[in-house]
Amino acid sequence: MPIKTHHYSNGEITITWKPELCIHSGICFKGLAPVFDPRRTPWIDMGQSDTKTIMGQVKKCPSGALSYAINEKDK
Ligand code: SF4
């Protein structure tokens, strides 16, 4: 079965979250709670911080559940 993925974009980057890989370590919401808040739906709000900070936090995800890609600029 394909792994389910969710995407969240702020126009500059797109975060991909794979719930099956998430080990609920809490590192993302302890590190950047305004963006990563599991009590909220959707739980990731890209408008709550800047791109660089969000990218830094995504890199700390220990399971690979979170990743990001830089969006292609419109030509
Ligand atoms: S840091 Fe990664 S593994 Fe930990 S709760 Fe967040 S998404 Fe899940």
Side-chain angles (χ1 to χ4, degrees):
M1 231 171 64
I3 290 183
K4 211 192 303 174
T5 58
H6 298 267
H7 301 284
Y8 308 87
S9 177
N10 66 358
E12 292 181 345
I13 58 168
T14 299
I15 289 185
T16 298
W17 179 56
K18 298 178 179 169
E20 282 97 340
L21 297 183
C22 180
I23 56 172
H24 305 287
S25 64
I27 287 172
C28 56
F29 56 84
K30 282 181 203 141
L32 195 56
V35 174
F36 302 97
D37 183 349
R39 294 164 302 182
R40 189 180 54 205
T41 304
W43 77 286
I44 295 177
D45 183 348
M46 299 288 281
Q48 298 298 325
S49 190
D50 60 274
T51 295
K52 200 170 156 212
T53 306
I54 294 171
M55 282 164 59
Q57 189 62 51
V58 166
K59 284 182 193 165
K60 292 179 187 159
C61 174
S63 67
L66 287 174
S67 60
Y68 69 80
I70 296 168
N71 293 355
E72 297 268 339
K73 285 216 166 65
D74 290 337
K75 290 187 182 139

